[in-house]
Amino acid sequence: MQQQISVITLGVADTQISCLFYTEGFCWTPVFEKPEIIFYQMNGFILGTFRKDALEADMNRTGLR
């Protein structure tokens, strides 16, 4: 079986600051955006930035670093 990663989600402290980093630094355009999560599409790969507290709630875990 061929191994493949199609989505990576990063926990971030502030999605808007993170968005500025990717949009102004790399000129990426979000394909989906909510206050707690933003997705960027790149050549069949998706990068998600998820506000850390919302990611912890979604995973039902605490103390993510």
Side-chain angles (χ1 to χ4, degrees):
M1 176 187 296
Q2 179 183 1
Q3 304 263 330
Q4 176 177 323
I5 294 175
S6 56
V7 178
I8 291 181
T9 303
L10 302 175
V12 297
D14 186 314
T15 53
Q16 292 308 307
I17 291 173
S18 171
C19 186
L20 288 174
F21 174 79
Y22 290 108
T23 58
E24 293 183 10
F26 295 115
C27 297
W28 294 354
T29 302
V31 294
F32 179 84
E33 192 168 352
K34 281 190 158 186
E36 67 276 355
I37 192 164
I38 301 172
F39 289 112
Y40 305 90
Q41 175 77 49
M42 302 164 275
N43 300 328
F45 173 79
I46 296 173
L47 173 69
T49 55
F50 209 145
R51 199 178 64 228
K52 188 178 144 200
D53 63 327
L55 179 59
E56 288 177 333
D58 187 65
M59 294 175 63
N60 199 24
R61 295 186 62 182
T62 59
L64 298 178
R65 297 179 198 200

